[in-house]
Amino acid sequence: MRRRGVGRVVIVLVAVLATGAAVTAATGFWGGEKPAETGKDLPAATAKVTRQTLVDTRTENGELGHGAPVEVTGKLAGTLTALPAVGLTVERGQAIYWVDDTSVVLLYGTLPVYRPLGPDTEGTDVEQFENNLAALGYRGFTADRKYTVQTATAVKKWQKDLGLPETGTIEQGRIHYAAGPVRVDGHKAAVGADVAPDAPLLSYTGSARLITVELGVADKRLAVKAAPVTVILPDDRTTPGSITGTATVLVPASGTPGSQATTIIEVTVAVADQNALAGLDEAAVKVVFSASRRENVLTVPVAALLARSEGGYGVEVANGTTTKIVAVETGLFSGGRVEISGEGLDEDMTVGMPS
């Protein structure tokens, strides 16, 4: 009787083990993999893990023009005798307006005129002026912070060429500085008018065509100076550009009931190939910003992501006839793909695409 009891225990134990093996195979407890007995256990659709560069882009409307105009005010007393034509480009050494039939000359620089210049004057403004004089072809002096006798001699030659009295000194208001060539945008005074101190005479913009884009404050991350952009022209041609400036601008309320002032980010975009803008003076364009960029990262289609019950995401990796869920960290989303990282992931792996 005792031997028959032991036999029954062994038979029950074998049965339990067999049942446990069957449950384990069915529920995928062998190292997290689930052997596929039939094709229905594999994903219906798959995709490859790729290694690539992802770029998050945003397209915004922009206006092609010449940028915000700058006003020129009178510094020399007298009568306004001539103005350059609207639309004309004025370059270094040329007259930007005329007072008492003598020219006020455009030079290049960022430091405005604030005093007369003559022998024994020293400073950054002297160096800026002497650099311009040298660029115009006048020699015999050293372009530095000191206005010397040699500088005065070169100035007399310059004044003679301009038809000015050969004094060797520069009266305040005889020159006007701009960052580069300018395009006359409009006239603010009539020829024949008396030039009053600080009264506006004309306005100008830069000579190069620029693009202005208005962004909301929430999109400030797009406005990174020197960042490259792509400009889409009205005929759908594209040309590269770069962000040359940003400014925070307060837009006043419109005056209608309930309207409020708003703050915008004004972005200036320059186009290096000005020939690409031929025939376009003012036009509506589109600007494609690169908000962020991730180089050489693993990616999968966004649709391959699976929400995990314990939180986060995973992907179903297929290997031969088995699959397993691998936890992943997501990064940049762009163009229907997502950056992923996780243990055991590699390029060219096959992942399931849930139907």
Side-chain angles (χ1 to χ4, degrees):
M1 291 293 292
R2 293 181 62 184
R3 279 196 297 270
R4 283 198 299 273
V6 171
R8 283 195 296 272
V9 170
V10 170
I11 291 169
V12 171
L13 180 60
V14 170
V16 169
L17 289 174
T19 303
V23 171
T24 302
T27 55
F29 281 89
W30 301 118
E33 296 188 354
K34 179 175 64 177
E37 295 178 358
T38 64
K40 65 184 178 61
D41 291 330
L42 291 174
T46 61
K48 289 291 186 181
V49 177
T50 62
R51 186 174 294 279
Q52 64 188 86
T53 296
L54 285 185
V55 182
D56 178 19
T57 61
R58 281 276 302 278
T59 301
E60 298 288 342
N61 295 325
E63 288 293 330
L64 176 65
H66 289 85
V70 176
E71 281 192 346
V72 177
T73 58
K75 301 297 182 184
L76 293 177
T79 301
L80 182 65
T81 52
L83 287 167
V86 173
L88 184 71
T89 297
V90 181
E91 299 182 344
R92 176 166 30 207
Q94 297 178 336
I96 194 165
Y97 63 93
W98 288 259
V99 174
D100 293 345
D101 205 25
T102 62
S103 57
V104 173
V105 181
L106 178 74
L107 298 179
Y108 297 165
T110 57
L111 184 64
V113 176
Y114 64 92
R115 62 175 177 173
L117 299 179
D120 299 327
T121 308
E122 294 186 21
T124 304
D125 55 341
V126 173
E127 185 173 16
Q128 179 174 268
F129 171 73
E130 289 183 337
N131 283 330
N132 276 273
L133 199 59
L136 291 171
Y138 296 92
R139 301 289 184 265
F141 62 94
T142 300
D144 56 17
R145 295 171 56 87
K146 295 183 179 181
Y147 195 116
T148 62
V149 173
Q150 290 77 21
T151 304
T153 300
V155 167
K156 288 177 183 180
K157 294 177 182 178
W158 176 59
Q159 289 172 326
K160 180 179 180 180
D161 292 340
L162 291 174
L164 298 172
E166 299 169 39
T167 62
T169 60
I170 308 298
E171 57 189 317
Q172 186 175 354
R174 180 56 63 186
I175 54 181
H176 177 84
Y177 286 109
V182 301
R183 172 185 171 275
V184 178
D185 181 68
H187 295 163
K188 302 295 183 179
V191 171
D194 290 335
V195 179
D198 296 325
L201 303 178
L202 73 154
S203 62
Y204 66 76
T205 63
S207 60
R209 280 159 291 188
L210 301 171
I211 297 164
T212 303
V213 181
E214 294 183 356
L215 299 176
V217 174
D219 295 324
K220 188 175 182 178
R221 62 191 177 88
L222 302 176
V224 179
K225 194 169 182 180
V229 299
T230 299
V231 178
I232 304 175
L233 301 175
D235 58 3
D236 290 332
R237 288 182 299 121
T238 62
T239 187
S242 61
I243 298 175
T244 56
T246 64
T248 302
V249 179
L250 181 65
V251 179
S254 63
T256 57
S259 66
Q260 296 181 338
T262 58
T263 301
I264 62 170
I265 307 298
E266 191 173 83
V267 180
T268 303
V269 173
V271 175
D273 182 11
Q274 289 284 301
N275 291 330
L277 306 178
L280 299 173
D281 194 28
E282 295 183 356
V285 298
K286 293 186 180 297
V287 178
V288 182
F289 294 86
S290 296
S292 55
R293 184 183 185 91
R294 296 286 293 163
E295 300 276 356
N296 198 33
V297 295
L298 295 176
T299 77
V300 294
V302 174
L305 293 178
L306 300 172
R308 302 172 64 217
S309 60
E310 58 268 54
Y313 293 97
V315 292
E316 184 180 14
V317 176
N319 183 15
T321 59
T322 63
T323 66
K324 64 179 178 180
I325 304 300
V326 176
V328 299
E329 293 288 336
T330 59
L332 180 64
F333 288 74
S334 176
R337 297 191 73 84
V338 56
E339 173 192 358
I340 60 169
S341 59
E343 187 175 352
L345 292 174
D346 204 355
E347 185 178 3
D348 289 332
M349 279 184 168
T350 300
V351 295
M353 295 284 289
S355 56

